């Protein structure tokens, strides 16, 4: 029976992917095999020695101490793309709200309550509607910074609306490139996107290289009509630089679900709670994805969408399965196979892959390794943990 400690409220559809006959879900457990959470700010003290994996039902993992987890040999799973459609639709809403007098029109209509008859109201609004005239999205240019699961969907949506799309992503993966519509014009720099787009939407992770990447220097490339949308991460934008650019005329409007006291109350900002992924469907999708990944790791040792471990998946074809996590240094794999050979244990199949300073191995063997063999494997210098599945 695997014990899974849950933080926050996890979608029922996700929890249902963990069978009750082999998984015990608890919101208070000191000896958990795994942790499943959403936005809970995890500390090192929350990670007991028994924890083998952590799963975040969402894309961002800034609330999890990744360095600590990696050192302990704990993969941290997330759900990239599971909330992509929800964010895509909110970006569309942000562009519409910024280009048409929708919010101001609603406020104006509500301010007239109880003052006029329906006939008078109809005449008045017909005369006043020109105050709320805006522009259409068709024919305008959207710049997408970050062309991953969300950015590629937004690019495709914008093209279907008749917009021109410019894209920039310095770390575009092969998988993401395949998802990207061929009509998207790839740009060589963020400044090029900023200077040519009417709307710019940000979809970057928080890395050391992306913190405050939207700053005064890059905003200088914008113009007085540019609309910047940030439904990605608060830390990638320098809020003070946004204020300066709005006031100087280098930026037209700022739309975000990361409110700041420096921006609240401004007519050139549309701010809302952090609701980019707040749909029932997105919460279900995220929970289902990470629950399935967590189960596959606990039962089979396979790793999919771990932010700190290499992806590694091997089908089971009989025998017994070992998984080993180790420092990414020479000779460890050789030492592992030597110990197995000395114990007359034949290897059926083996996969080894590294990511940064960590390496991970899946090894299927013909005989069940004894406690002594497992102890010898664990004693290899550089080996972090060993599991027999």
């Amino acid at each position: 029976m695997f014990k899974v400690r849950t933080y926050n409220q996890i979608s029922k559809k996700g929890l249902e992917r963990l069978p009750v006959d082999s998984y015990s879900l608890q919101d208070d457990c000191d000896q958990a095999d795994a942790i499943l959470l959403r936005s809970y700010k995890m500390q090192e003290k929350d990670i007991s020695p028994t924890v083998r994996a952590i799963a975040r039902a969402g894309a961002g993992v800034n609330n999890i101490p990744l360095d600590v987890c990696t050192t302990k040999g704990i993969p941290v799973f997330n759900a990239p793309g599971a909330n992509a459609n929800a964010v895509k639709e909110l970006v569309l809403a942000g562009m519409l709200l910024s280009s048409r007098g929708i919010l101001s029109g609603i406020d104006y209509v509500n301010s007239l309550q109880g003052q006029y008859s329906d006939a008078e109201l109809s005449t008045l609004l017909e005369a006043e509607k020109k105050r709320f005239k805006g522009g259409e999205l068709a024919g305008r240019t959207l710049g997408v910074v970050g062309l991953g699961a969300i950015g590629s969907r937004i690019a495709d949506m914008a093209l279907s609306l008749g917009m021109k799309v410019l894209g920039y992503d310095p770390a575009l993966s092969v998988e993401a490139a395949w998802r990207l519509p061929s009509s998207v014009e790839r740009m060589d720099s963020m400044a090029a996107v900023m200077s040519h787009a009417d709307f710019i939407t940000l979809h970057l992770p928080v890395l050391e290289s992306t913190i405050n990447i939207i700053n005064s220097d890059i905003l200088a490339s914008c113009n007085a009509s540019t609309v910047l949308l940030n439904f990605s991460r608060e830390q990638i934008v320098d809020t003070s630089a946004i204020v300066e650019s709005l006031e100087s005329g280098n930026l037209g409007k700022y739309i975000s679900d990361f409110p700041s006291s420096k921006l609240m109350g401004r007519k050139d900002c549309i701010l809302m709670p952090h609701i980019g992924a707040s749909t029932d469907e997105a919460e279900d999708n995220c929970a289902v994805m990470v629950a399935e990944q967590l189960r596959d790791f606990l039962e089979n040792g396979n790793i999919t969408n771990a932010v700190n471990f290499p992806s590694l998946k091997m089908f089971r074809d009989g025998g017994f399965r070992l998984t080993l996590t180790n420092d990414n240094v020479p000779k460890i794999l050789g030492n592992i196979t030597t110990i197995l050979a000395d114990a007359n244990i034949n290897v059926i199949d083996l996969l080894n892959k590294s990511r940064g300073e960590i390496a991970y191995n899946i090894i299927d063997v013909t005989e069940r390794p004894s406690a002594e063999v497992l102890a010898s494997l664990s004693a290899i210098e550089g080996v972090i943990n060993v599991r027999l599945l």
Side-chain angles (χ1 to χ4, degrees):
M1 177 73 70
F2 293 109
K3 297 179 181 179
V4 179
R5 177 164 187 174
T6 59
Y7 291 90
N8 312 118
Q9 186 172 349
I10 307 298
S11 162
K12 182 180 178 181
K13 288 187 177 181
L15 298 179
E16 288 173 347
R17 299 302 175 104
L18 302 175
V20 294
D21 59 343
S22 51
Y23 287 84
S24 173
L25 305 175
Q26 305 173 32
D27 57 12
D28 187 9
C29 175
D30 294 331
Q31 302 294 317
D33 296 292
I35 294 173
L36 182 55
L37 76 163
R38 290 176 60 197
S39 57
Y40 175 75
K41 184 68 174 177
M42 178 167 285
Q43 307 294 325
E44 182 175 359
K45 62 181 176 60
D46 297 318
I47 307 172
S48 68
T50 58
V51 170
R52 296 290 176 259
I54 296 173
R56 158 78 159 97
V61 291
N62 301 75
N63 56 320
I64 300 171
L66 287 182
D67 291 344
V68 171
C69 293
T70 304
T71 300
K72 293 177 179 290
I74 299 173
V76 176
F77 298 95
N78 71 340
N83 59 7
N85 191 70
V87 178
K88 178 196 76 174
E89 292 184 0
L90 193 60
V91 169
L92 173 58
M95 290 195 292
L96 291 170
L97 291 174
S98 65
S99 60
R100 306 281 295 269
I102 298 171
L103 293 176
S104 55
I106 292 172
D107 289 341
Y108 178 67
V109 169
N110 288 333
S111 73
L112 303 176
Q113 184 178 6
Q115 300 180 44
Y116 303 94
S117 66
D118 286 349
E120 293 171 331
L121 189 61
S122 178
T123 300
L124 176 63
L125 293 178
E126 186 65 26
E128 294 294 330
K129 69 179 183 181
K130 59 181 177 293
R131 293 168 47 187
F132 311 105
K133 183 176 69 172
E136 298 181 8
L137 298 181
R140 309 288 285 280
T141 299
L142 172 65
V144 183
V145 179
L147 297 168
I150 297 174
S152 59
R153 283 202 184 203
I154 291 171
D156 188 58
M157 173 194 69
L159 291 170
S160 70
L161 292 170
M163 302 182 76
K164 178 180 179 180
V165 180
L166 310 177
Y168 174 72
D169 191 331
L172 185 65
S173 66
V174 174
E175 181 182 356
W178 277 108
R179 286 196 303 261
L180 197 62
S182 59
S183 301
V184 175
E185 183 178 349
R186 292 277 305 279
M187 306 298 283
D188 294 329
S189 69
M190 191 184 303
V193 175
M194 294 285 187
S195 61
H196 291 90
D198 302 301
F199 299 87
I200 300 160
T201 182
L202 307 173
H203 301 285
L204 298 170
V206 176
L207 305 171
E208 187 175 344
S209 59
T210 61
I211 293 176
N212 286 342
I213 194 171
I214 305 301
N215 50 43
S216 296
D217 291 339
I218 198 68
L219 289 170
S221 301
C222 299
N223 58 66
S225 62
T226 302
V227 177
L228 178 64
L229 302 104
N230 179 23
F231 294 102
S232 180
R233 288 288 176 260
E234 180 179 15
Q235 297 95 322
I236 68 175
V237 172
D238 182 345
T239 304
S240 297
I242 294 290
V243 173
E244 293 172 4
S245 296
L246 289 169
E247 294 182 347
S248 67
N250 277 345
L251 183 65
K253 291 181 181 177
Y254 182 63
I255 321 296
S256 179
D257 64 346
F258 299 102
S260 166
S261 58
K262 296 179 180 178
L263 299 171
M264 293 172 67
R266 296 185 63 97
K267 293 183 178 180
D268 47 14
C269 291
I270 298 176
L271 305 172
M272 57 196 77
H274 184 44
I275 57 173
S278 294
T279 66
D280 292 336
E281 295 85 353
E283 291 179 3
D284 288 345
N285 292 341
C286 288
V288 167
M289 181 181 286
V290 296
E292 290 179 345
Q293 292 167 178
L294 187 62
R295 181 180 178 185
D296 197 20
F297 173 75
L298 291 175
E299 296 180 12
N300 301 306
N302 293 323
I303 295 182
T304 305
N305 291 330
V307 298
N308 61 336
F309 266 59
S311 294
L312 204 60
K313 189 178 185 73
M314 190 165 77
F315 291 104
R316 302 192 75 158
D317 189 21
F320 299 87
R321 173 159 291 187
L322 288 166
T323 66
L324 299 93
T325 306
N326 58 271
D327 297 330
N328 186 21
V329 295
K331 300 183 179 180
I332 291 182
L333 182 57
N335 290 334
I336 292 171
T337 55
T338 296
I339 289 173
L340 294 175
D342 289 345
N344 293 316
I345 296 176
N346 188 42
V347 173
I348 300 173
D349 206 350
L350 181 153
L351 284 179
N352 166 272
K353 197 171 183 180
S354 63
R355 177 174 179 172
E357 298 179 355
I358 205 83
Y360 185 68
N361 312 267
I362 301 177
I363 306 173
D364 285 350
V365 295
T366 53
E367 295 83 25
R368 182 184 185 90
S370 65
E372 291 77 11
V373 170
L374 295 177
S376 296
L377 293 171
S378 299
I380 296 173
E381 185 177 357
V383 168
I384 300 171
N385 60 46
V386 177
R387 296 175 65 214
L388 174 62
L389 306 180

